[in-house]
Amino acid sequence: MIDKVVTVFGASGFLGRHTVRALAKGGFGWRVRACARNPNAANYLLPMGHVGQIQLMRANVRNREDVTRAIANSDAVVNLVGILNQSGGQKFGALQRDAAGTIAKCARAAGVQSLVQISAIGADAESDSAYARTKAEGERRVRDAFPAASILRPSIIFGPEDEFFNRFAGLARFLPGLPLIGGGHTKFQPVYVGDVAAAIAKCVEDPATHGHTYELGGPTVYSFRELMQLMLQVINRRRLLIPIPFGIARMQAAVLQWLPNPLLTLEQVRLLKRDNVVSPGAQTLATLGIKPDSLEAILPTYLWRFRRRGQYEEEVYERVTGKPATR
């Protein structure tokens, strides 16, 4: 009998759908209250569990009454809310700092047993990036209100619906070259979305993780140039990789960021000035008993649609992974 309730804020997003699936089907015995601004557009979450196991709920994390109602009678809370760009009235401070604090305070008042807060590698209260700064401020407010919270800081998250590899692979279909901001030297440690979801489920379930901060990265560190080279290899396309100095990138971003779906923003340029890798001595996926999946194993399973012949170019998968194609 499923008798434990976990409330997930930001459930309809990229990480949200994988988190809901992990909690509903991971053998943890949770009923999932999946909160989103527009639950009518999140019906795809319902089949991830048994009938009635997943409940959709409308909740605005900037509204304390909504948050209080969503958390009522919950045993655990997961906050996935975050944005990469400020648009449509959505601001970094309101969502990544203020809402995080509100959720933590309401969770404490409701007697919630475990709280998981998703932050990001690079969160820094002194950063010139509003994204990184508000992530750090959100962590502080969560710790102040709910000291036993588990805080997870992932690097770039990749998977079937990601906004990183899918975007660049899409651009590679029609552009002769791809930009390397700052020369492409920035280091990343991409982590698979399924591994992040597994880490969230572990922290929800295991009291030993409470009060700790974990930095989540994949098994390999890559430069931005190496990520683009791997992506192009997977989709079997040749494109120029064009180094763009930070100064020029800032001027381009100052214009491009006003587009409805901007290709580059000033925030992204600021973030690219710092490596995005797990810190030495940090608690990691290995601490949680999770073996991370590699880019080489996962990218071909969803980027095949960007190849000229789509799924019929299976030899690319074999060349990249050294394993027989299974599609």
Side-chain angles (χ1 to χ4, degrees), residues 159-183:
E161 307 88 6
D162 70 50
E163 294 186 9
F164 185 82
F165 289 105
N166 279 296
R167 169 166 290 197
F168 282 105
L171 291 174
R173 287 190 298 186
F174 60 88
L175 291 181
L178 297 175
L180 298 178
I181 307 301

Side-chain angles (χ1 to χ4, degrees), residues 14-15 18 118-121 131 152-165 187-200 214-222 227 230 276-278 283-286 288 290-299 302:
F14 167 44
L15 177 57
H18 292 269
I118 301 301
S119 184
I121 286 180
Y131 172 86
L152 304 184
R153 297 174 172 172
S155 183
I156 286 180
I157 303 176
F158 69 92
E161 307 88 6
D162 70 50
E163 294 186 9
F164 185 82
F165 289 105
K187 296 289 192 296
F188 296 92
Q189 197 169 348
V191 59
Y192 177 49
V193 65
D195 295 330
V196 178
I200 292 169
Y214 300 89
E215 296 194 0
L216 310 183
T220 307
V221 173
Y222 307 83
L227 290 178
L230 177 59
N276 196 271
V277 299
V278 172
Q283 297 187 90
T284 65
L285 285 172
L288 296 170
I290 298 170
K291 182 178 179 181
D293 288 291
S294 70
L295 268 178
E296 289 81 1
I298 302 297
L299 282 187
Y302 68 93

Side-chain angles (χ1 to χ4, degrees), residues 125-168:
E126 304 300 322
S127 175
D128 62 349
S129 160
Y131 172 86
R133 193 166 57 250
T134 54
K135 280 290 190 181
E137 291 168 350
E139 287 187 11
R140 180 181 60 79
R141 292 195 181 190
V142 167
R143 279 275 183 255
D144 288 346
F146 202 111
S150 302
I151 295 177
L152 304 184
R153 297 174 172 172
S155 183
I156 286 180
I157 303 176
F158 69 92
E161 307 88 6
D162 70 50
E163 294 186 9
F164 185 82
F165 289 105
N166 279 296
R167 169 166 290 197
F168 282 105

Side-chain angles (χ1 to χ4, degrees), residues 6-296:
V6 55
T7 295
V8 180
F9 293 100
S12 62
F14 167 44
L15 177 57
R17 68 182 68 196
H18 292 269
T19 299
V20 169
R21 182 184 295 113
L23 290 167
K25 292 190 174 181
F28 297 106
W30 292 96
R31 284 192 291 125
V32 182
R33 191 174 290 157
C35 298
R37 288 185 303 158
N38 183 12
N40 292 330
N43 287 320
Y44 57 84
L45 296 174
L46 297 176
M48 294 179 180
H50 301 297
V51 175
Q53 185 180 3
I54 298 171
Q55 172 195 4
L56 301 181
M57 176 177 285
R58 184 188 305 278
N60 181 351
V61 293
R62 293 177 293 182
N63 185 308
R64 181 179 290 270
E65 292 182 359
D66 279 10
V67 173
T68 299
R69 184 175 65 255
I71 290 176
N73 302 315
S74 293
D75 300 280
V77 172
V78 177
N79 180 25
L80 307 175
V81 175
I83 54 174
L84 295 174
N85 302 311
Q86 298 188 113
S87 62
Q90 293 187 312
K91 302 298 182 183
F92 290 128
L95 293 176
Q96 298 182 165
R97 179 194 61 214
D98 301 343
T102 297
I103 289 170
K105 289 177 181 178
C106 292
R108 181 188 62 188
V112 166
Q113 297 172 11
S114 61
L115 170 64
V116 180
Q117 168 72 19
I118 301 301
S119 184
I121 286 180
D124 180 1
E126 304 300 322
S127 175
D128 62 349
S129 160
Y131 172 86
R133 193 166 57 250
T134 54
K135 280 290 190 181
E137 291 168 350
E139 287 187 11
R140 180 181 60 79
R141 292 195 181 190
V142 167
R143 279 275 183 255
D144 288 346
F146 202 111
S150 302
I151 295 177
L152 304 184
R153 297 174 172 172
S155 183
I156 286 180
I157 303 176
F158 69 92
E161 307 88 6
D162 70 50
E163 294 186 9
F164 185 82
F165 289 105
N166 279 296
R167 169 166 290 197
F168 282 105
L171 291 174
R173 287 190 298 186
F174 60 88
L175 291 181
L178 297 175
L180 298 178
I181 307 301
H185 303 297
T186 309
K187 296 289 192 296
F188 296 92
Q189 197 169 348
V191 59
Y192 177 49
V193 65
D195 295 330
V196 178
I200 292 169
K202 173 75 172 180
C203 290
V204 166
E205 180 71 13
D206 188 355
T209 66
H210 296 176
H212 294 279
T213 298
Y214 300 89
E215 296 194 0
L216 310 183
T220 307
V221 173
Y222 307 83
S223 68
F224 187 82
R225 176 183 288 273
E226 289 170 335
L227 290 178
M228 294 298 97
Q229 290 172 333
L230 177 59
M231 179 273 295
L232 290 171
Q233 184 181 18
V234 169
I235 66 175
N236 200 23
R237 293 178 185 269
R238 293 184 180 181
R239 293 292 183 267
L240 295 174
L241 295 177
I242 307 169
I244 306 293
F246 280 117
I248 294 177
R250 281 195 299 271
M251 290 188 288
Q252 294 174 333
V255 177
L256 294 173
Q257 68 180 357
W258 298 108
L259 295 174
N261 187 22
L263 295 175
L264 185 66
T265 68
L266 287 171
E267 275 298 309
Q268 291 168 341
V269 174
R270 295 185 187 105
L271 290 171
L272 283 169
K273 290 183 178 180
R274 294 184 58 177
D275 291 339
N276 196 271
V277 299
V278 172
S279 305
Q283 297 187 90
T284 65
L285 285 172
T287 311
L288 296 170
I290 298 170
K291 182 178 179 181
D293 288 291
S294 70
L295 268 178
E296 289 81 1

